[in-house]
Each structure stands twice: as C-alpha cells, then as structure tokens.
Amino acid sequence: MAYKIVIDPGHGGSDWGASYEGRKEKDDNLNLALAVGQILSDNGIDVEYTRTDDVYNTPFEKAMMGNNAGADFFISFHRNATGIPMASTGVETLVFSDSGIKAEMARNINEELEKVGFVNRGVVERPNLVVLKRTKMPAILIETGFIDNEEDNKLFDQEFDRIAEAIADGILTTLDLGGLAETPLYKVQVGAYEDKAEADKLTDSLRGNGFEPYMIFQNGLYKVQIGAYEKLSNAVAMENRLRNAGYPTFITT
Ligand SMILES: [Zn+2]
C-alpha cells in the first residue's frame, strides 16, 4: 500500500508553542511525533518529518513541505493550553472540515487516546489554521492534552509509549478500513504479540523457512501475517503449508 505520511512536530526553535512551568510544548510535540513516526515506519508507512530537531519553520513552510513530499496525509502534533492552570483537560483533534477520511482518522485517534485515559473533547473544525488550510492532502492536528494541566502532563509522561501507540493505531486503523472497503482479502495470521521483539523473531523464523511474512501493528499488537488472498482456498492452502512447518495459524480478513 505504501502510504506516505508527513509528520509535523508543532513549533520549534525560537517558537516554543505553549509552555508551563518550564515545560515547552515544542519538546513534547517532537518527542511524541518521533515516537509515532517510528511505529508508522515499522508498519511499512513511508514517513517524512517537517523537523527532527529543535528548528523553526513557519506553518506555511511546513504545509509546503507536506505538499512537496507528495504525501497522502499530513499529521501535526501539538499540545493544548488555556493559559489558566488546570482549567481544561483532554485531547482534541483539529481538521479543516469535519468530513471525509481526515475526520474519520481524527475520530479514531481521539477514541484510541480516550482508552489510554484522556478525556475525549472530540473533532474540532479549524478552517483558518495554515497547516490545515494550505496542505493539499487530508490533514489533521492532534492536541494531546493540555500542557497547563498537571494531570494531562502526568498521563503524557507516564503513558508516553501507550499514547504513541494509540495515535499510530488510530492512523493505521483508518488506513486499513479504507484499503479493505472494496474486496475482503484473506490473510493468514501466524502470531500476535505486545512485544515487537517477539514478532520480529517469528518473522525471521518464517523467512528462514521460505515464507514471506509481514508485520502490522493493530489494536496494540504486532501481528505477523502472510497474504492477502482474494480466494479463501488460497489462504487455506497457505495455512496448511504453515501448519506442516509447525506454525499455529488462523485466517483473518
Ligand atoms: Zn501548538
């Protein structure tokens, strides 16, 4: 499928974004964006970043980077602030308009983040934001909690890995649904692990036995699969080959 996604860590350099008691939004944005980008890369997405260190570009320049990359999606990472400590809490994802696949992706990400413990403030239309307005591809801007809310910061720090996985999951789920809408395809699943190292080990073992597995990250698990097949009979044939080689399997769509 080879989707290309531009990841935009909000602010940077002289532009701190919001800040609270020495904590700078630009740093949180970069850390989370890199973590999500890594998970997306691991799942076969072609990822480009508007920045990978502490530099400043205008929102317009960032939008142009997305357009020049010819990306399928543009995803901007931010944290919210009210200026009044503890006044607000939760996640929201901003879109130019509440329609199409970007709104679906925004909703899926919010729902995954809700499972991690954030209040879900919903999908919000912000047609005047430059990175949403000037990008040519579906674009979203995730506000992962309020930087001037200590509870949100605690969740952000303590559940950082789960938060990154939740956002990646929301993105990947949206793409899977889009890709499978027309014809159901049968895939043979050989294993599903929370630990990526276990999934890597199985992938290597399968390759060593002449199979061509791939890994996807879905619902918090690294799944090792083979396929896809349009005919169930072909998936069953692969399943038999795998079972003869000693692997437990099941067929999924
Ligand atoms: Zn921001």
Side-chain angles (χ1 to χ4, degrees):
M1 60 184 193
Y3 285 104
K4 186 182 225 180
I5 297 183
V6 165
I7 299 274
D8 171 42
H11 311 285
S14 57
D15 174 12
W16 290 11
S19 60
Y20 177 68
E21 293 185 348
R23 185 176 183 126
K24 299 168 198 150
E25 186 199 343
K26 64 173 185 174
D27 298 329
D28 284 352
N29 295 342
L30 181 60
N31 291 336
L32 185 57
L34 291 175
V36 172
Q38 182 61 52
I39 298 170
L40 295 177
S41 292
D42 289 345
N43 282 275
I45 305 277
D46 184 2
V47 175
E48 282 192 28
Y49 299 89
T50 57
R51 68 179 175 103
T52 54
D53 51 21
D54 190 19
V55 294
Y56 177 72
N57 285 104
T58 65
F60 180 76
E61 286 167 334
K62 287 163 176 261
M64 290 308 114
M65 286 181 208
N67 292 344
N68 292 336
D72 298 301
F73 293 92
F74 184 96
I75 301 179
S76 191
F77 287 76
H78 286 256
R79 299 206 59 212
N80 225 330
T82 57
I84 305 162
M86 303 303 280
S88 289
T89 182
V91 296
E92 59 190 31
T93 300
L94 314 181
V95 290
F96 178 79
S97 62
D98 191 352
S99 64
I101 194 163
K102 63 185 182 301
E104 193 186 323
M105 183 179 281
R107 214 153 261 124
N108 286 338
I109 290 169
N110 285 349
E111 281 168 15
E112 292 300 325
L113 286 170
E114 195 178 351
K115 290 181 201 163
V116 181
F118 282 109
V119 172
N120 183 352
R121 301 167 59 89
V123 175
V124 181
E125 291 190 344
R126 290 287 294 277
N128 293 321
L129 282 182
V130 171
V131 292
L132 301 180
K133 186 162 84 173
R134 302 304 295 265
T135 39
K136 289 181 177 154
M137 68 292 296
I140 62 174
L141 188 155
I142 310 165
E143 300 268 19
T144 309
F146 284 74
I147 199 168
D148 50 9
N149 181 312
E150 276 162 29
E151 292 301 317
D152 279 10
N153 287 341
K154 200 160 91 184
L155 193 58
F156 189 94
D157 295 336
Q158 288 179 352
E159 300 294 343
F160 182 83
D161 291 345
R162 281 182 67 209
I163 289 166
E165 283 172 6
I167 293 172
D169 219 0
I171 295 165
L172 294 168
T173 301
T174 311
L175 301 182
D176 279 349
L177 289 176
L180 289 173
E182 287 166 21
T183 21
L185 293 172
Y186 300 99
K187 299 182 270 186
V188 183
Q189 184 159 308
V190 194
Y193 305 92
E194 286 184 0
D195 182 0
K196 183 167 177 291
E198 292 292 317
D200 282 331
K201 209 190 297 174
L202 177 60
T203 301
D204 289 345
S205 157
L206 285 163
R207 290 216 174 101
N209 282 303
F211 294 102
E212 292 178 20
Y214 58 92
M215 199 191 300
I216 60 165
F217 183 76
Q218 202 176 45
N219 302 324
L221 294 172
Y222 294 94
K223 298 178 177 176
V224 180
Q225 299 181 337
I226 296 177
Y229 305 97
E230 285 184 22
K231 286 186 185 163
L232 181 59
S233 58
N234 289 336
V236 170
M238 174 53 74
E239 187 166 51
N240 286 335
R241 270 186 63 199
L242 285 160
R243 288 197 172 155
N244 287 337
Y247 296 102
T249 63
F250 72 91
I251 291 175
T252 178
T253 53

